[in-house]
Amino acid sequence: MSGEKKITVRKQKIRKNHTRAKLIFFLILTAVLLLIAAFAKYLCPYDPYAQDLTLAQKAPCPEHLLGTDRYGRDMLSRVITGSTVSIYGTLILVAVITVVGTVIGILCGWRGGKTEAVLMRISDLFLAFPGLVFALAVAAVLGGGIQNAIIALAVISWPKFARLARGLTLTQKASPYLMAAKLSGSSTGKLLIKHILPNIAGPILVTAVLDIGTMMMELAGLSFLGLGVKPPMAEWGSMINDGRSMLQIAPWMVLAPGAAIFITVMIFNLLGDTVRDYMDPRERNRGK
């Protein structure tokens, strides 16, 4: 029995180290994406907005690795430039819905009563509509632009975080340690900031990371439909829309930004899965 236990502990340690290595690897890939997006204007081999009709729809070659679009603009430069709006726009969106949803959820779970009833019914109202369809309606009312696209998606995306935070808050509220903190005379603010928030932050963080890919796809979808960024600004969704009519003639105009979305979403999704595995108490306790 002792030998079997040692083998099991060894396997658990190997699995734990493997999860940690995966987390570091995907964090590095994510950091590379963020650095590329942050320093995009310095990494572009050509001006992403410079038009040269003599080079229009030029196939990929050593001079233009991803080819050119219908106006002769270098696709690689536009994909790199578009990463700034696509990635950081998505991160801003996820940050907004995470903060707003978490605050509302904690408020509902802590106070209950009419406050909870009203806010949860509002969240039910938003969840009753198909998300992207509702976002299209809101974006159409607000008009085009990346800011309005972010607002439109934020309006319909916060309820999932509110419901998650509410459920976690209710669980923590009934815990013995929180009751002891109340009896010790801790103020409401101290209870929420020092006890509730740190104990619910893990699941919310994992949900936020996993939601980055979805929000990026939806933001690109709004741009594809003409309700996101306005031309000539480079953004992956609008670039796909610009090249879809040329798919048979110049497929690289769609494949280049499409591949950028695919790779970026895949990296963030794998990062989210790895963060979830790493923060799982069962995973963290293995090998102890």
Side-chain angles (χ1 to χ4, degrees):
M1 293 296 293
S2 178
E4 291 180 1
K5 185 176 180 180
K6 288 182 179 180
I7 293 174
T8 302
V9 171
R10 189 181 304 116
K11 288 181 178 179
Q12 290 173 345
K13 287 183 177 180
I14 292 173
R15 183 172 178 178
K16 183 179 179 181
N17 293 333
H18 178 66
T19 302
R20 185 183 294 112
K22 281 175 58 180
L23 178 61
I24 294 173
F25 175 71
F26 289 122
L27 283 173
I28 292 173
L29 290 182
T30 303
V32 171
L33 287 176
L34 295 177
L35 288 174
I36 290 175
F39 298 99
K41 64 179 181 180
Y42 303 107
L43 299 175
C44 295
Y46 300 94
D47 184 347
Y49 300 106
Q51 300 183 15
D52 186 353
L53 296 180
T54 61
L55 298 175
Q57 300 174 12
K58 186 178 180 63
C61 61
E63 293 77 19
H64 301 278
L65 296 179
L66 298 181
T68 62
D69 64 6
R70 68 175 74 192
Y71 301 108
R73 296 174 297 194
D74 181 63
M75 286 299 299
L76 176 60
S77 299
R78 289 185 63 77
V79 168
I80 294 174
T81 301
S83 66
T84 303
V85 176
S86 296
I87 294 177
Y88 283 107
T90 301
L91 294 180
I92 291 172
L93 170 60
V94 172
V96 169
I97 63 177
T98 301
V99 172
V100 172
T102 301
V103 170
I104 292 175
I106 292 176
L107 180 63
C108 291
W110 183 259
R111 297 195 61 177
K114 293 182 178 179
T115 301
E116 179 184 18
V118 172
L119 291 175
M120 287 299 100
R121 296 300 77 75
I122 293 175
S123 71
D124 290 340
L125 178 64
F126 285 115
L127 291 172
F129 292 93
L132 190 55
V133 175
F134 195 15
L136 287 172
V138 175
V141 171
L142 296 176
I146 187 64
Q147 297 89 347
N148 291 335
I150 290 175
I151 292 173
L153 289 172
V155 166
I156 57 98
S157 300
W158 63 267
K160 68 182 121 180
F161 288 94
R163 288 198 163 275
L164 175 62
R166 171 182 171 271
L168 293 171
T169 300
L170 288 174
T171 302
Q172 296 297 323
K173 187 178 178 181
S175 61
Y177 84 90
L178 195 64
M179 294 180 182
K182 286 182 182 179
L183 293 175
S184 68
S186 298
S187 63
T188 299
K190 185 177 181 180
L191 290 173
L192 294 177
I193 295 175
K194 291 192 66 177
H195 297 287
I196 297 289
L197 190 58
N199 283 285
I200 70 173
I204 291 175
L205 174 62
V206 172
T207 303
V209 176
L210 288 170
D211 211 34
I212 291 175
T214 302
M215 290 297 102
M216 182 173 292
M217 294 290 290
E218 294 189 358
L219 192 61
L222 289 181
S223 295
F224 177 82
L225 295 172
L227 296 173
V229 301
K230 296 180 179 179
M233 181 180 290
E235 193 273 339
W236 293 338
S238 64
M239 290 170 64
I240 294 176
N241 180 47
D242 186 55
R244 65 189 175 93
S245 61
M246 303 288 179
L247 185 58
Q248 293 182 336
I249 303 173
W252 54 87
M253 291 178 59
V254 173
L255 294 178
I261 293 176
F262 172 77
I263 293 172
T264 305
V265 170
M266 182 179 64
I267 289 174
F268 277 112
N269 284 345
L270 291 174
L271 174 64
D273 288 337
T274 308
V275 170
R276 179 184 57 197
D277 293 341
Y278 185 76
M279 297 188 71
D280 187 341
R282 293 171 299 179
E283 184 72 27
R284 286 182 295 175
N285 291 331
R286 284 191 172 104
K288 289 187 178 180

